[in-house]
């Protein structure tokens, strides 16, 4: 099924070295993954390494907690784009959603959407912290904001993607919005199950293992 085209080849380890990121990029080029997903610190490096390749440079904003102010997230996104990021994965403010401050959540996403201006925007909802009702609510907000993807998880909280969350998002999102399942997807069988359930991207640090499973 050419699963490589679904994979955001990820290294978000806090201790990732330059050599590890260089390896990540080489693997992404070899397997023609959709993107590499790295911390903002490594965006410039990845942009140079992946120039003239078919691999996008993705980075994370407000990661992993999402509790930065909107102004900080906007600056992060602007800076990352200037340095070469063409895909932005931003973490929502879960506290604001829990407080039912839906205006804040929506305005924050809208402001980052404006900064992206054609750059792919994925909104990380951290579904392990949300009720079903809250997943439905944030999905509807994402519909209104015109985001490109709704991403299940950072992979840094209680658990990563669940099939239940993917089903809820799929049932409530607009057709033109993709789903990125992320966190805990470490083999081909699991990745395929999420794709069959509706995921259109897979965020994983196990891209090579998944490819070996497909082969």
């Amino acid at each position: 099924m050419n699963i490589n085209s679904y994979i955001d080849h990820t290294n978000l380890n806090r201790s990732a070295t330059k050599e590890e990121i260089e390896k990540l990029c080489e693997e992404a080029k070899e397997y023609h993954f959709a993107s590499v997903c790295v911390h903002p610190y490594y965006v410039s490096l990845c942009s140079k390494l992946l120039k003239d390749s078919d691999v996008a440079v993705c980075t994370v904003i407000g990661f992993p907690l999402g509790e930065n102010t909107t102004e900080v997230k906007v600056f992060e996104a602007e800076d990352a784009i200037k340095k070469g990021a063409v895909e932005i994965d931003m973490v929502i403010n879960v506290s604001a959603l829990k407080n039912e401050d839906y205006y804040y959540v929506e305005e924050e996403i809208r402001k980052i959407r404006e900064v992206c201006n054609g750059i792919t925007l994925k909104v990380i909802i951290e579904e392990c912290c949300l009720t079903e009702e809250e997943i439905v609510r944030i999905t509807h907000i994402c519909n209104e904001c015109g985001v490109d993807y709704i991403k299940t998880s950072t992979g840094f909280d209680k658990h990563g993607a669940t099939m239940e969350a993917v089903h809820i998002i799929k049932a409530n999102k607009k057709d033109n919005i993709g789903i990125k399942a992320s966190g805990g997807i470490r083999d081909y069988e699991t990745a395929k199950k999420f794709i069959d359930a509706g995921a259109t991207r897979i965020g994983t640090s196990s891209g090579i293992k998944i490819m070996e499973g497909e082969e």
Side-chain angles (χ1 to χ4, degrees), residues 7 10 14 18 84 86 99 118 139 145 167 169 173 178 187 191 214:
I7 292 175
T10 303
R14 66 190 303 178
K18 179 182 177 182
V86 295
N99 291 334
T139 300
C145 293
H167 289 150
I169 295 166
K173 74 175 183 67
D187 55 60
E214 182 178 46

Side-chain angles (χ1 to χ4, degrees), residues 58-107:
C58 172
T59 195
V60 288
I61 300 301
F63 194 87
L65 299 179
E67 303 297 296
N68 298 338
T69 62
T70 297
E71 292 79 7
V72 170
K73 290 182 183 176
V74 167
F75 174 81
E76 276 191 285
E78 288 174 332
D79 186 60
I81 292 167
K82 286 177 184 176
K83 288 177 168 59
V86 295
E87 298 195 356
I88 297 293
D89 288 17
M90 66 156 286
V91 187
I92 67 163
N93 188 313
V94 174
S95 292
L97 186 67
K98 292 284 185 183
N99 291 334
E100 300 183 4
D101 192 353
Y102 306 128
Y103 177 81
Y104 183 98
V105 175
E106 182 170 339
E107 281 300 293

Side-chain angles (χ1 to χ4, degrees), residues 102-136:
Y102 306 128
Y103 177 81
Y104 183 98
V105 175
E106 182 170 339
E107 281 300 293
E108 181 170 88
I109 296 171
R110 285 189 186 279
K111 287 178 179 178
I112 296 175
R113 169 80 277 176
E114 289 171 10
V115 166
C116 286
N117 189 28
I119 298 293
T120 297
L121 176 61
K122 310 188 200 97
V123 174
I124 307 173
I125 66 171
E126 200 66 289
E127 52 108 334
C128 67
C129 298
L130 306 182
T131 64
E132 179 175 344
E133 181 181 352
E134 288 165 343
I135 294 173
V136 171

Side-chain angles (χ1 to χ4, degrees), residues 16 22 25 33 48 55 64 77 82 84 93 106 114 133 137 145 152 169 205:
E22 288 172 341
C25 290
F33 290 138
K48 293 175 184 175
V55 181
K82 286 177 184 176
N93 188 313
E106 182 170 339
E114 289 171 10
E133 181 181 352
R137 172 70 72 163
C145 293
T152 60
I169 295 166
S205 58

